[in-house]
Amino acid sequence: MKMYLTNILTDPERLDRWMTIAQSSLLPLLKGALSNTIPLTLLSFSFGLMIAILMALARISPIKPLQIVARIYVSIIRGTPLLVQLFFIFYGLPSIGVTIDSFPAAVIAFSLNVGAYASEIIRAAILSTPKGQWEAAYSMGMSYPQALRRIILPQAARVSIPPLSNSFISLVKDTSLASLILVTEMFRVAQQIAATNYEFLLLYAQAGAIYWVICFCLSLLQGRVERRLDRYVAR
Amino acid sequence: MISVQSLFKQFGDLEVLKGIDLNVEQGKVVVVIGPSGSGKTTLLRCLNVLETPTSGKVEIDQQALDFTGKVSFNQIASFRRLTGMVFQSYNLFPHKTALQNVMEGPITVKKEAKAKVEERARRLLEKVGLGDKLDFYPFQLSGGQQQRVGIARALAMEPKVMLFDEPTSALDPELVGEVLRVMKELAQEGMTMVVVTHEMKFAKEVADEVIFMDDGKIVEKGNPAEIFENPKTDRTKQFLRMIESGV
């Protein structure tokens, strides 16, 4: 470590080389983020949320088979590594004739993963809504979907923003795993560049910094959404 | 207007309503009193099927539900529109303003035009004395104000019957009067009302009929003077003594 540092400090050429590489790799890295990391995150999170709402509703429904399906799904996804799920879909399924390109394969794996974790968040949020809210909705003649959409989910949304933001931010970073099924997202771009110039420290630091900036922006967004949904709650 | 025939309700092994028969004529105010656990709230909740009776028949405004057989959810939903419910804990929608609370039912359930509903909602909030609180969220209102929004919200559905489930029990004493005043006004306008309450003064002044329930049955009913001045059963006498002595 010490040697390495002195190496840079005493070697102006090395420093120059770093600045040049950092500048020339910034654009490809950003391109990887914009064309893969961010779309992968947004798509997977949207699909994941839809799956999550359906699974949460299945889990709290009075229909036994639906409950069981939801329980099994959550158990399998939470009980196996995300990397195994990615490999299963991309490298495993082709052996039974199901071949999926790397990007859609990643979207499927991440959506299923988010769906399982978020379904527990949403289930808890729905259950935390007081029973009287359902009763007030039903007493004016609302159907189950109407009560859910107009009365319950808007209140559940407020409670679930902080834990859902956690999932969202984790997902941004987890997409780096997609590099292992050949998606050229930001981390893979960093690997590819580093493989040509051997500046691993620099490239991985750069990639890490961009992940951090994305996540920082997301936590700012979370704050805004929370403040907006908090406007009807006593402080 | 309301007719209930041999209504039974069981929660597991616990029999809460043991054969209730009840008739309420149009424009009448019926006050249900009785000790806690007597089944009065359950009876009220059976009238809009928030509890599904185990057996028996409930009829409101010519629409009948016979719980001895199967009853579909659609039947229940349309039946519920006949009644407006006011809850002990108000149950206002916290994410909606007073005005939006009142507009919610007519827009979502009855699919009425927004402009028409808004005009009616404003009028109703005006009527319960909250014309200046239209854009307040429930947390910005006192308990008494919230309950008056609750009444306006129930009225917005233009129900045939209003049901009140201990509407003042959760209120600070000084806020009870403003809610009772609104209820009294409604009664004077000829609304058919069933009220579960511990406000004996309200019962004496406003009720056309008082029903005393105990242990899942109607023990005694009659006009307020009969029940309060001249109760026939020992159980009623005992209950009224307890209430009056403030124990």
Side-chain angles (χ1 to χ4, degrees), chain B residues 92 96-102 121-122 124-149 152 178:
Chain B
L92 293 186
K96 293 181 183 293
T97 62
L99 188 66
Q100 288 168 340
N101 262 279
V102 179
R122 282 173 186 279
L124 284 168
L125 284 167
E126 197 80 43
K127 179 188 160 91
V128 299
L130 295 171
D132 55 341
K133 300 276 192 267
L134 299 178
D135 296 323
F136 281 53
Y137 284 96
F139 83 91
Q140 296 167 309
L141 300 172
S142 74
Q145 291 169 335
Q146 289 193 48
Q147 192 59 296
R148 285 184 282 149
V149 175
E178 61 191 62

PDB file of all heavy atoms in Angstrom, chain B residues 92 96-102 121-122 124-149 152 178:
ATOM      1  N   LEU B  92     -62.413   8.450   9.354  1.00  0.00           N
ATOM      2  CA  LEU B  92     -62.234   9.282   8.159  1.00  0.00           C
ATOM      3  C   LEU B  92     -61.013   8.780   7.402  1.00  0.00           C
ATOM      4  O   LEU B  92     -60.131   8.155   7.973  1.00  0.00           O
ATOM      5  CB  LEU B  92     -62.018  10.745   8.557  1.00  0.00           C
ATOM      6  CG  LEU B  92     -63.209  11.447   9.187  1.00  0.00           C
ATOM      7  CD1 LEU B  92     -62.887  12.925   9.376  1.00  0.00           C
ATOM      8  CD2 LEU B  92     -64.470  11.291   8.364  1.00  0.00           C
ATOM      9  N   LYS B  96     -57.251  12.090   2.740  1.00  0.00           N
ATOM     10  CA  LYS B  96     -58.137  12.956   1.971  1.00  0.00           C
ATOM     11  C   LYS B  96     -58.619  14.114   2.845  1.00  0.00           C
ATOM     12  O   LYS B  96     -58.793  13.951   4.054  1.00  0.00           O
ATOM     13  CB  LYS B  96     -59.343  12.149   1.477  1.00  0.00           C
ATOM     14  CG  LYS B  96     -58.948  11.088   0.453  1.00  0.00           C
ATOM     15  CD  LYS B  96     -60.144  10.310  -0.038  1.00  0.00           C
ATOM     16  CE  LYS B  96     -59.720   9.217  -0.988  1.00  0.00           C
ATOM     17  NZ  LYS B  96     -59.169   9.740  -2.261  1.00  0.00           N
ATOM     18  N   THR B  97     -58.844  15.273   2.214  1.00  0.00           N
ATOM     19  CA  THR B  97     -59.356  16.418   2.961  1.00  0.00           C
ATOM     20  C   THR B  97     -60.813  16.179   3.332  1.00  0.00           C
ATOM     21  O   THR B  97     -61.438  15.215   2.857  1.00  0.00           O
ATOM     22  CB  THR B  97     -59.295  17.696   2.110  1.00  0.00           C
ATOM     23  OG1 THR B  97     -60.134  17.506   0.962  1.00  0.00           O
ATOM     24  CG2 THR B  97     -57.877  17.992   1.640  1.00  0.00           C
ATOM     25  N   ALA B  98     -61.353  17.057   4.168  1.00  0.00           N
ATOM     26  CA  ALA B  98     -62.759  16.935   4.572  1.00  0.00           C
ATOM     27  C   ALA B  98     -63.646  16.840   3.326  1.00  0.00           C
ATOM     28  O   ALA B  98     -64.496  15.948   3.215  1.00  0.00           O
ATOM     29  CB  ALA B  98     -63.160  18.134   5.426  1.00  0.00           C
ATOM     30  N   LEU B  99     -63.412  17.750   2.387  1.00  0.00           N
ATOM     31  CA  LEU B  99     -64.235  17.756   1.174  1.00  0.00           C
ATOM     32  C   LEU B  99     -64.077  16.454   0.386  1.00  0.00           C
ATOM     33  O   LEU B  99     -65.059  15.849  -0.058  1.00  0.00           O
ATOM     34  CB  LEU B  99     -63.836  18.954   0.298  1.00  0.00           C
ATOM     35  CG  LEU B  99     -64.733  19.221  -0.909  1.00  0.00           C
ATOM     36  CD1 LEU B  99     -66.125  19.632  -0.458  1.00  0.00           C
ATOM     37  CD2 LEU B  99     -64.141  20.306  -1.805  1.00  0.00           C
ATOM     38  N   GLN B 100     -62.826  15.995   0.246  1.00  0.00           N
ATOM     39  CA  GLN B 100     -62.584  14.755  -0.509  1.00  0.00           C
ATOM     40  C   GLN B 100     -63.195  13.542   0.192  1.00  0.00           C
ATOM     41  O   GLN B 100     -63.685  12.623  -0.464  1.00  0.00           O
ATOM     42  CB  GLN B 100     -61.076  14.533  -0.683  1.00  0.00           C
ATOM     43  CG  GLN B 100     -60.452  15.511  -1.661  1.00  0.00           C
ATOM     44  CD  GLN B 100     -58.926  15.486  -1.620  1.00  0.00           C
ATOM     45  OE1 GLN B 100     -58.337  15.036  -0.639  1.00  0.00           O
ATOM     46  NE2 GLN B 100     -58.308  15.969  -2.673  1.00  0.00           N
ATOM     47  N   ASN B 101     -63.166  13.551   1.534  1.00  0.00           N
ATOM     48  CA  ASN B 101     -63.810  12.470   2.283  1.00  0.00           C
ATOM     49  C   ASN B 101     -65.293  12.378   1.928  1.00  0.00           C
ATOM     50  O   ASN B 101     -65.818  11.301   1.719  1.00  0.00           O
ATOM     51  CB  ASN B 101     -63.664  12.711   3.789  1.00  0.00           C
ATOM     52  CG  ASN B 101     -62.501  11.926   4.388  1.00  0.00           C
ATOM     53  OD1 ASN B 101     -62.642  10.738   4.665  1.00  0.00           O
ATOM     54  ND2 ASN B 101     -61.376  12.581   4.548  1.00  0.00           N
ATOM     55  N   VAL B 102     -65.938  13.545   1.890  1.00  0.00           N
ATOM     56  CA  VAL B 102     -67.372  13.556   1.644  1.00  0.00           C
ATOM     57  C   VAL B 102     -67.680  13.187   0.186  1.00  0.00           C
ATOM     58  O   VAL B 102     -68.690  12.562  -0.120  1.00  0.00           O
ATOM     59  CB  VAL B 102     -67.956  14.943   2.001  1.00  0.00           C
ATOM     60  CG1 VAL B 102     -69.446  14.998   1.728  1.00  0.00           C
ATOM     61  CG2 VAL B 102     -67.690  15.255   3.471  1.00  0.00           C
ATOM     62  N   ALA B 121     -71.325  18.150  -1.555  1.00  0.00           N
ATOM     63  CA  ALA B 121     -70.408  17.964  -0.432  1.00  0.00           C
ATOM     64  C   ALA B 121     -70.197  19.283   0.311  1.00  0.00           C
ATOM     65  O   ALA B 121     -70.185  19.325   1.548  1.00  0.00           O
ATOM     66  CB  ALA B 121     -69.077  17.410  -0.933  1.00  0.00           C
ATOM     67  N   ARG B 122     -70.029  20.367  -0.450  1.00  0.00           N
ATOM     68  CA  ARG B 122     -69.876  21.682   0.180  1.00  0.00           C
ATOM     69  C   ARG B 122     -71.092  22.026   1.026  1.00  0.00           C
ATOM     70  O   ARG B 122     -70.996  22.516   2.148  1.00  0.00           O
ATOM     71  CB  ARG B 122     -69.710  22.772  -0.885  1.00  0.00           C
ATOM     72  CG  ARG B 122     -68.326  22.815  -1.475  1.00  0.00           C
ATOM     73  CD  ARG B 122     -68.288  23.790  -2.648  1.00  0.00           C
ATOM     74  NE  ARG B 122     -67.000  23.741  -3.301  1.00  0.00           N
ATOM     75  CZ  ARG B 122     -65.920  24.389  -2.861  1.00  0.00           C
ATOM     76  NH1 ARG B 122     -66.020  25.165  -1.807  1.00  0.00           N
ATOM     77  NH2 ARG B 122     -64.777  24.272  -3.482  1.00  0.00           N
ATOM     78  N   LEU B 124     -73.246  19.964   2.383  1.00  0.00           N
ATOM     79  CA  LEU B 124     -73.345  19.107   3.569  1.00  0.00           C
ATOM     80  C   LEU B 124     -72.363  19.545   4.654  1.00  0.00           C
ATOM     81  O   LEU B 124     -72.705  19.571   5.837  1.00  0.00           O
ATOM     82  CB  LEU B 124     -73.083  17.644   3.189  1.00  0.00           C
ATOM     83  CG  LEU B 124     -74.249  16.962   2.478  1.00  0.00           C
ATOM     84  CD1 LEU B 124     -73.820  15.637   1.873  1.00  0.00           C
ATOM     85  CD2 LEU B 124     -75.407  16.751   3.447  1.00  0.00           C
ATOM     86  N   LEU B 125     -71.144  19.909   4.244  1.00  0.00           N
ATOM     87  CA  LEU B 125     -70.169  20.352   5.241  1.00  0.00           C
ATOM     88  C   LEU B 125     -70.606  21.675   5.862  1.00  0.00           C
ATOM     89  O   LEU B 125     -70.411  21.918   7.051  1.00  0.00           O
ATOM     90  CB  LEU B 125     -68.776  20.453   4.612  1.00  0.00           C
ATOM     91  CG  LEU B 125     -68.102  19.088   4.411  1.00  0.00           C
ATOM     92  CD1 LEU B 125     -66.883  19.199   3.519  1.00  0.00           C
ATOM     93  CD2 LEU B 125     -67.705  18.487   5.758  1.00  0.00           C
ATOM     94  N   GLU B 126     -71.213  22.514   5.035  1.00  0.00           N
ATOM     95  CA  GLU B 126     -71.798  23.758   5.530  1.00  0.00           C
ATOM     96  C   GLU B 126     -72.839  23.439   6.608  1.00  0.00           C
ATOM     97  O   GLU B 126     -72.845  24.006   7.699  1.00  0.00           O
ATOM     98  CB  GLU B 126     -72.485  24.460   4.349  1.00  0.00           C
ATOM     99  CG  GLU B 126     -72.794  25.918   4.565  1.00  0.00           C
ATOM    100  CD  GLU B 126     -71.552  26.779   4.337  1.00  0.00           C
ATOM    101  OE1 GLU B 126     -70.808  26.533   3.356  1.00  0.00           O
ATOM    102  OE2 GLU B 126     -71.342  27.671   5.148  1.00  0.00           O
ATOM    103  N   LYS B 127     -73.666  22.479   6.292  1.00  0.00           N
ATOM    104  CA  LYS B 127     -74.778  22.084   7.164  1.00  0.00           C
ATOM    105  C   LYS B 127     -74.296  21.574   8.524  1.00  0.00           C
ATOM    106  O   LYS B 127     -74.904  21.857   9.547  1.00  0.00           O
ATOM    107  CB  LYS B 127     -75.583  21.003   6.440  1.00  0.00           C
ATOM    108  CG  LYS B 127     -76.777  20.412   7.164  1.00  0.00           C
ATOM    109  CD  LYS B 127     -77.296  19.231   6.323  1.00  0.00           C
ATOM    110  CE  LYS B 127     -78.138  18.292   7.131  1.00  0.00           C
ATOM    111  NZ  LYS B 127     -79.558  18.653   7.072  1.00  0.00           N
ATOM    112  N   VAL B 128     -73.174  20.828   8.531  1.00  0.00           N
ATOM    113  CA  VAL B 128     -72.665  20.347   9.818  1.00  0.00           C
ATOM    114  C   VAL B 128     -71.715  21.368  10.452  1.00  0.00           C
ATOM    115  O   VAL B 128     -71.004  21.059  11.400  1.00  0.00           O
ATOM    116  CB  VAL B 128     -71.962  18.969   9.699  1.00  0.00           C
ATOM    117  CG1 VAL B 128     -72.929  17.915   9.191  1.00  0.00           C
ATOM    118  CG2 VAL B 128     -70.739  19.061   8.781  1.00  0.00           C
ATOM    119  N   GLY B 129     -71.689  22.580   9.881  1.00  0.00           N
ATOM    120  CA  GLY B 129     -70.940  23.670  10.500  1.00  0.00           C
ATOM    121  C   GLY B 129     -69.458  23.663  10.194  1.00  0.00           C
ATOM    122  O   GLY B 129     -68.656  24.184  10.955  1.00  0.00           O
ATOM    123  N   LEU B 130     -69.074  23.048   9.079  1.00  0.00           N
ATOM    124  CA  LEU B 130     -67.649  22.975   8.745  1.00  0.00           C
ATOM    125  C   LEU B 130     -67.348  23.593   7.380  1.00  0.00           C
ATOM    126  O   LEU B 130     -66.394  23.198   6.710  1.00  0.00           O
ATOM    127  CB  LEU B 130     -67.176  21.513   8.778  1.00  0.00           C
ATOM    128  CG  LEU B 130     -67.235  20.855  10.156  1.00  0.00           C
ATOM    129  CD1 LEU B 130     -66.961  19.371  10.051  1.00  0.00           C
ATOM    130  CD2 LEU B 130     -66.244  21.506  11.110  1.00  0.00           C
ATOM    131  N   GLY B 131     -68.177  24.557   7.001  1.00  0.00           N
ATOM    132  CA  GLY B 131     -67.991  25.208   5.706  1.00  0.00           C
ATOM    133  C   GLY B 131     -66.625  25.857   5.562  1.00  0.00           C
ATOM    134  O   GLY B 131     -66.128  26.042   4.451  1.00  0.00           O
ATOM    135  N   ASP B 132     -65.974  26.159   6.697  1.00  0.00           N
ATOM    136  CA  ASP B 132     -64.663  26.807   6.626  1.00  0.00           C
ATOM    137  C   ASP B 132     -63.513  25.810   6.757  1.00  0.00           C
ATOM    138  O   ASP B 132     -62.357  26.194   6.878  1.00  0.00           O
ATOM    139  CB  ASP B 132     -64.554  27.867   7.733  1.00  0.00           C
ATOM    140  CG  ASP B 132     -64.819  27.276   9.107  1.00  0.00           C
ATOM    141  OD1 ASP B 132     -65.428  26.184   9.180  1.00  0.00           O
ATOM    142  OD2 ASP B 132     -64.410  27.900  10.111  1.00  0.00           O
ATOM    143  N   LYS B 133     -63.826  24.508   6.762  1.00  0.00           N
ATOM    144  CA  LYS B 133     -62.762  23.505   6.974  1.00  0.00           C
ATOM    145  C   LYS B 133     -62.642  22.541   5.785  1.00  0.00           C
ATOM    146  O   LYS B 133     -62.072  21.457   5.918  1.00  0.00           O
ATOM    147  CB  LYS B 133     -63.074  22.681   8.238  1.00  0.00           C
ATOM    148  CG  LYS B 133     -63.169  23.485   9.511  1.00  0.00           C
ATOM    149  CD  LYS B 133     -61.805  23.722  10.114  1.00  0.00           C
ATOM    150  CE  LYS B 133     -61.882  24.265  11.520  1.00  0.00           C
ATOM    151  NZ  LYS B 133     -61.835  25.734  11.540  1.00  0.00           N
ATOM    152  N   LEU B 134     -63.157  22.946   4.640  1.00  0.00           N
ATOM    153  CA  LEU B 134     -63.241  22.035   3.486  1.00  0.00           C
ATOM    154  C   LEU B 134     -61.912  21.384   3.140  1.00  0.00           C
ATOM    155  O   LEU B 134     -61.847  20.203   2.833  1.00  0.00           O
ATOM    156  CB  LEU B 134     -63.735  22.810   2.249  1.00  0.00           C
ATOM    157  CG  LEU B 134     -65.117  23.441   2.357  1.00  0.00           C
ATOM    158  CD1 LEU B 134     -65.442  24.222   1.084  1.00  0.00           C
ATOM    159  CD2 LEU B 134     -66.169  22.387   2.608  1.00  0.00           C
ATOM    160  N   ASP B 135     -60.839  22.173   3.187  1.00  0.00           N
ATOM    161  CA  ASP B 135     -59.549  21.662   2.713  1.00  0.00           C
ATOM    162  C   ASP B 135     -58.645  21.191   3.845  1.00  0.00           C
ATOM    163  O   ASP B 135     -57.449  21.012   3.670  1.00  0.00           O
ATOM    164  CB  ASP B 135     -58.838  22.734   1.878  1.00  0.00           C
ATOM    165  CG  ASP B 135     -59.638  23.051   0.626  1.00  0.00           C
ATOM    166  OD1 ASP B 135     -60.220  22.106   0.062  1.00  0.00           O
ATOM    167  OD2 ASP B 135     -59.700  24.226   0.233  1.00  0.00           O
ATOM    168  N   PHE B 136     -59.226  20.971   5.018  1.00  0.00           N
ATOM    169  CA  PHE B 136     -58.441  20.472   6.148  1.00  0.00           C
ATOM    170  C   PHE B 136     -58.365  18.953   6.084  1.00  0.00           C
ATOM    171  O   PHE B 136     -59.335  18.279   5.748  1.00  0.00           O
ATOM    172  CB  PHE B 136     -59.093  20.891   7.476  1.00  0.00           C
ATOM    173  CG  PHE B 136     -58.817  22.327   7.856  1.00  0.00           C
ATOM    174  CD1 PHE B 136     -59.079  23.362   6.970  1.00  0.00           C
ATOM    175  CD2 PHE B 136     -58.306  22.635   9.105  1.00  0.00           C
ATOM    176  CE1 PHE B 136     -58.831  24.679   7.311  1.00  0.00           C
ATOM    177  CE2 PHE B 136     -58.049  23.950   9.466  1.00  0.00           C
ATOM    178  CZ  PHE B 136     -58.316  24.969   8.568  1.00  0.00           C
ATOM    179  N   TYR B 137     -57.187  18.428   6.430  1.00  0.00           N
ATOM    180  CA  TYR B 137     -57.058  16.978   6.573  1.00  0.00           C
ATOM    181  C   TYR B 137     -57.567  16.580   7.958  1.00  0.00           C
ATOM    182  O   TYR B 137     -57.541  17.397   8.885  1.00  0.00           O
ATOM    183  CB  TYR B 137     -55.591  16.553   6.409  1.00  0.00           C
ATOM    184  CG  TYR B 137     -55.141  16.572   4.974  1.00  0.00           C
ATOM    185  CD1 TYR B 137     -54.472  17.663   4.434  1.00  0.00           C
ATOM    186  CD2 TYR B 137     -55.421  15.490   4.135  1.00  0.00           C
ATOM    187  CE1 TYR B 137     -54.079  17.679   3.105  1.00  0.00           C
ATOM    188  CE2 TYR B 137     -55.025  15.496   2.817  1.00  0.00           C
ATOM    189  CZ  TYR B 137     -54.354  16.598   2.302  1.00  0.00           C
ATOM    190  OH  TYR B 137     -53.972  16.610   0.991  1.00  0.00           O
ATOM    191  N   PRO B 138     -58.021  15.318   8.095  1.00  0.00           N
ATOM    192  CA  PRO B 138     -58.563  14.886   9.383  1.00  0.00           C
ATOM    193  C   PRO B 138     -57.665  15.214  10.580  1.00  0.00           C
ATOM    194  O   PRO B 138     -58.155  15.642  11.621  1.00  0.00           O
ATOM    195  CB  PRO B 138     -58.722  13.374   9.205  1.00  0.00           C
ATOM    196  CG  PRO B 138     -59.035  13.216   7.755  1.00  0.00           C
ATOM    197  CD  PRO B 138     -58.219  14.280   7.064  1.00  0.00           C
ATOM    198  N   PHE B 139     -56.329  15.062  10.423  1.00  0.00           N
ATOM    199  CA  PHE B 139     -55.474  15.295  11.586  1.00  0.00           C
ATOM    200  C   PHE B 139     -55.481  16.753  12.024  1.00  0.00           C
ATOM    201  O   PHE B 139     -55.035  17.080  13.126  1.00  0.00           O
ATOM    202  CB  PHE B 139     -54.034  14.814  11.305  1.00  0.00           C
ATOM    203  CG  PHE B 139     -53.169  15.791  10.546  1.00  0.00           C
ATOM    204  CD1 PHE B 139     -52.382  16.718  11.227  1.00  0.00           C
ATOM    205  CD2 PHE B 139     -53.146  15.789   9.162  1.00  0.00           C
ATOM    206  CE1 PHE B 139     -51.577  17.616  10.534  1.00  0.00           C
ATOM    207  CE2 PHE B 139     -52.348  16.695   8.461  1.00  0.00           C
ATOM    208  CZ  PHE B 139     -51.561  17.609   9.153  1.00  0.00           C
ATOM    209  N   GLN B 140     -55.987  17.634  11.165  1.00  0.00           N
ATOM    210  CA  GLN B 140     -56.038  19.057  11.525  1.00  0.00           C
ATOM    211  C   GLN B 140     -57.358  19.421  12.202  1.00  0.00           C
ATOM    212  O   GLN B 140     -57.583  20.582  12.517  1.00  0.00           O
ATOM    213  CB  GLN B 140     -55.856  19.918  10.271  1.00  0.00           C
ATOM    214  CG  GLN B 140     -54.481  19.734   9.622  1.00  0.00           C
ATOM    215  CD  GLN B 140     -54.410  20.325   8.229  1.00  0.00           C
ATOM    216  OE1 GLN B 140     -55.273  20.033   7.388  1.00  0.00           O
ATOM    217  NE2 GLN B 140     -53.401  21.123   7.978  1.00  0.00           N
ATOM    218  N   LEU B 141     -58.242  18.424  12.373  1.00  0.00           N
ATOM    219  CA  LEU B 141     -59.564  18.696  12.939  1.00  0.00           C
ATOM    220  C   LEU B 141     -59.680  18.079  14.329  1.00  0.00           C
ATOM    221  O   LEU B 141     -59.041  17.070  14.627  1.00  0.00           O
ATOM    222  CB  LEU B 141     -60.650  18.097  12.034  1.00  0.00           C
ATOM    223  CG  LEU B 141     -60.705  18.617  10.584  1.00  0.00           C
ATOM    224  CD1 LEU B 141     -61.693  17.798   9.767  1.00  0.00           C
ATOM    225  CD2 LEU B 141     -61.083  20.086  10.564  1.00  0.00           C
ATOM    226  N   SER B 142     -60.538  18.673  15.165  1.00  0.00           N
ATOM    227  CA  SER B 142     -60.807  18.089  16.486  1.00  0.00           C
ATOM    228  C   SER B 142     -61.692  16.854  16.307  1.00  0.00           C
ATOM    229  O   SER B 142     -62.244  16.625  15.240  1.00  0.00           O
ATOM    230  CB  SER B 142     -61.535  19.107  17.356  1.00  0.00           C
ATOM    231  OG  SER B 142     -62.882  19.235  16.918  1.00  0.00           O
ATOM    232  N   GLY B 143     -61.817  16.067  17.369  1.00  0.00           N
ATOM    233  CA  GLY B 143     -62.657  14.870  17.303  1.00  0.00           C
ATOM    234  C   GLY B 143     -64.089  15.191  16.892  1.00  0.00           C
ATOM    235  O   GLY B 143     -64.673  14.520  16.040  1.00  0.00           O
ATOM    236  N   GLY B 144     -64.627  16.241  17.487  1.00  0.00           N
ATOM    237  CA  GLY B 144     -66.005  16.615  17.176  1.00  0.00           C
ATOM    238  C   GLY B 144     -66.160  17.022  15.719  1.00  0.00           C
ATOM    239  O   GLY B 144     -67.135  16.669  15.052  1.00  0.00           O
ATOM    240  N   GLN B 145     -65.161  17.751  15.218  1.00  0.00           N
ATOM    241  CA  GLN B 145     -65.196  18.159  13.801  1.00  0.00           C
ATOM    242  C   GLN B 145     -65.064  16.940  12.898  1.00  0.00           C
ATOM    243  O   GLN B 145     -65.771  16.819  11.893  1.00  0.00           O
ATOM    244  CB  GLN B 145     -64.080  19.161  13.523  1.00  0.00           C
ATOM    245  CG  GLN B 145     -64.317  20.504  14.201  1.00  0.00           C
ATOM    246  CD  GLN B 145     -63.088  21.404  14.159  1.00  0.00           C
ATOM    247  OE1 GLN B 145     -61.954  20.927  14.050  1.00  0.00           O
ATOM    248  NE2 GLN B 145     -63.311  22.699  14.242  1.00  0.00           N
ATOM    249  N   GLN B 146     -64.158  16.026  13.269  1.00  0.00           N
ATOM    250  CA  GLN B 146     -63.988  14.818  12.456  1.00  0.00           C
ATOM    251  C   GLN B 146     -65.299  14.030  12.390  1.00  0.00           C
ATOM    252  O   GLN B 146     -65.689  13.542  11.332  1.00  0.00           O
ATOM    253  CB  GLN B 146     -62.895  13.919  13.052  1.00  0.00           C
ATOM    254  CG  GLN B 146     -61.510  14.478  12.879  1.00  0.00           C
ATOM    255  CD  GLN B 146     -60.446  13.427  13.186  1.00  0.00           C
ATOM    256  OE1 GLN B 146     -60.489  12.303  12.715  1.00  0.00           O
ATOM    257  NE2 GLN B 146     -59.480  13.800  14.000  1.00  0.00           N
ATOM    258  N   GLN B 147     -65.964  13.924  13.547  1.00  0.00           N
ATOM    259  CA  GLN B 147     -67.199  13.139  13.546  1.00  0.00           C
ATOM    260  C   GLN B 147     -68.273  13.821  12.715  1.00  0.00           C
ATOM    261  O   GLN B 147     -69.071  13.148  12.057  1.00  0.00           O
ATOM    262  CB  GLN B 147     -67.679  12.904  14.984  1.00  0.00           C
ATOM    263  CG  GLN B 147     -68.791  11.867  15.107  1.00  0.00           C
ATOM    264  CD  GLN B 147     -68.381  10.503  14.567  1.00  0.00           C
ATOM    265  OE1 GLN B 147     -68.117  10.348  13.367  1.00  0.00           O
ATOM    266  NE2 GLN B 147     -68.321   9.509  15.418  1.00  0.00           N
ATOM    267  N   ARG B 148     -68.277  15.148  12.688  1.00  0.00           N
ATOM    268  CA  ARG B 148     -69.266  15.839  11.846  1.00  0.00           C
ATOM    269  C   ARG B 148     -68.952  15.638  10.368  1.00  0.00           C
ATOM    270  O   ARG B 148     -69.855  15.507   9.548  1.00  0.00           O
ATOM    271  CB  ARG B 148     -69.321  17.324  12.224  1.00  0.00           C
ATOM    272  CG  ARG B 148     -70.078  17.534  13.555  1.00  0.00           C
ATOM    273  CD  ARG B 148     -70.233  18.980  13.897  1.00  0.00           C
ATOM    274  NE  ARG B 148     -69.004  19.565  14.454  1.00  0.00           N
ATOM    275  CZ  ARG B 148     -68.653  20.828  14.290  1.00  0.00           C
ATOM    276  NH1 ARG B 148     -69.409  21.659  13.595  1.00  0.00           N
ATOM    277  NH2 ARG B 148     -67.530  21.277  14.837  1.00  0.00           N
ATOM    278  N   VAL B 149     -67.654  15.584  10.028  1.00  0.00           N
ATOM    279  CA  VAL B 149     -67.300  15.228   8.646  1.00  0.00           C
ATOM    280  C   VAL B 149     -67.818  13.810   8.356  1.00  0.00           C
ATOM    281  O   VAL B 149     -68.362  13.533   7.287  1.00  0.00           O
ATOM    282  CB  VAL B 149     -65.773  15.282   8.399  1.00  0.00           C
ATOM    283  CG1 VAL B 149     -65.437  14.781   6.991  1.00  0.00           C
ATOM    284  CG2 VAL B 149     -65.247  16.684   8.599  1.00  0.00           C
ATOM    285  N   ALA B 152     -71.397  13.999   7.534  1.00  0.00           N
ATOM    286  CA  ALA B 152     -71.583  14.547   6.183  1.00  0.00           C
ATOM    287  C   ALA B 152     -71.207  13.516   5.127  1.00  0.00           C
ATOM    288  O   ALA B 152     -71.867  13.381   4.094  1.00  0.00           O
ATOM    289  CB  ALA B 152     -70.726  15.807   6.013  1.00  0.00           C
ATOM    290  N   GLU B 178     -71.724  19.341  20.074  1.00  0.00           N
ATOM    291  CA  GLU B 178     -71.778  19.779  18.673  1.00  0.00           C
ATOM    292  C   GLU B 178     -72.197  18.630  17.749  1.00  0.00           C
ATOM    293  O   GLU B 178     -72.863  18.841  16.743  1.00  0.00           O
ATOM    294  CB  GLU B 178     -70.425  20.358  18.235  1.00  0.00           C
ATOM    295  CG  GLU B 178     -69.262  19.384  18.312  1.00  0.00           C
ATOM    296  CD  GLU B 178     -67.906  20.083  18.126  1.00  0.00           C
ATOM    297  OE1 GLU B 178     -67.554  20.955  18.960  1.00  0.00           O
ATOM    298  OE2 GLU B 178     -67.217  19.750  17.159  1.00  0.00           O
TER     299      GLU B 178
END
